[in-house]
Amino acid sequence: MDRILLRFSEENVEEPITSQVILELGIPLRIVTATVNSLGGDILLEVPAVHVEKVVQAFRKKGVVVKFPKLIKVDSDKCFDCGACYALCPVDAIVYDEDYSVVFDEKTCIGSPCGLCVDACPARAITLVEQDRNNRK
Ligand code: SF4
Ligand code: SF4
């Protein structure tokens, strides 16, 4: 699965564009997060990797700006389980394991729209990296 970030403007935010793309293409899309109001906003979508180009083109044709968000990469050699990142995560993608080590759930993490844990880490163990779009499933 690939993740794409849709950026809606004040002009197109009231239109049912996401539903139209799903119906037109017949491709299931998972909404990971949505922050939208009458002035516009962002929707983070998970898209089957084999269909991502088609989906991106369909949204762009309808005037939506599409970006590929960066995802987190954690260097477990640097992480010392301090927990400074834990409380900041808005989607509970950072949890404590039974042995009190910090574990990241990369499927839940929203990536570069957020990045709060990156700045909070005293060990600089977390970075945001481009999605590996050559290694698709
Ligand atoms: S980037 Fe944001 S969503 Fe992802 S793990 Fe860090 S705090 Fe959580
Ligand atoms: S803030 Fe950094 S060092 Fe601390 S638990 Fe999170 S990733 Fe590990």
Side-chain angles (χ1 to χ4, degrees):
M1 299 289 264
D2 281 355
R3 287 185 173 201
I4 60 172
L5 183 68
L6 309 177
R7 189 144 286 166
F8 292 85
S9 65
E10 190 173 356
E11 287 70 40
N12 63 20
V13 74
E14 304 284 349
E15 298 171 33
I17 293 177
T18 306
S19 314
Q20 286 170 356
V21 169
I22 292 171
L23 290 172
E24 283 170 16
L25 300 181
I27 296 171
L29 306 175
R30 184 173 87 88
I31 295 176
V32 182
T33 58
T35 315
V36 179
N37 61 30
S38 60
L39 298 176
D42 292 345
I43 294 181
L44 183 65
L45 280 186
E46 211 164 57
V47 181
V50 289
H51 297 304
V52 74
E53 296 301 340
K54 221 186 295 179
V55 171
V56 168
Q57 290 311 318
F59 278 107
R60 284 183 175 157
K61 260 192 209 163
K62 292 178 186 298
V64 179
V65 174
V66 183
K67 298 187 170 191
F68 289 89
K70 291 181 179 177
L71 304 179
I72 54 160
K73 186 175 177 198
V74 182
D75 183 341
S76 53
D77 289 339
K78 287 185 180 172
C79 173
F80 60 102
D81 302 317
C82 71
C85 55
Y86 167 78
L88 295 174
C89 183
V91 293
D92 295 332
I94 307 172
V95 295
Y96 273 105
D97 213 347
E98 285 170 0
D99 65 357
Y100 295 103
S101 57
V102 170
V103 178
F104 287 77
D105 176 358
E106 285 163 17
K107 283 194 178 149
T108 304
C109 166
I110 56 179
S112 56
C114 170
L116 287 172
C117 58
V118 176
D119 294 333
C121 179
R124 296 279 177 260
I126 315 165
T127 46
L128 286 166
V129 296
E130 301 286 349
Q131 296 183 53
D132 182 4
R133 300 182 58 229
N134 294 318
N135 185 21
R136 295 171 160 201
K137 289 182 187 156

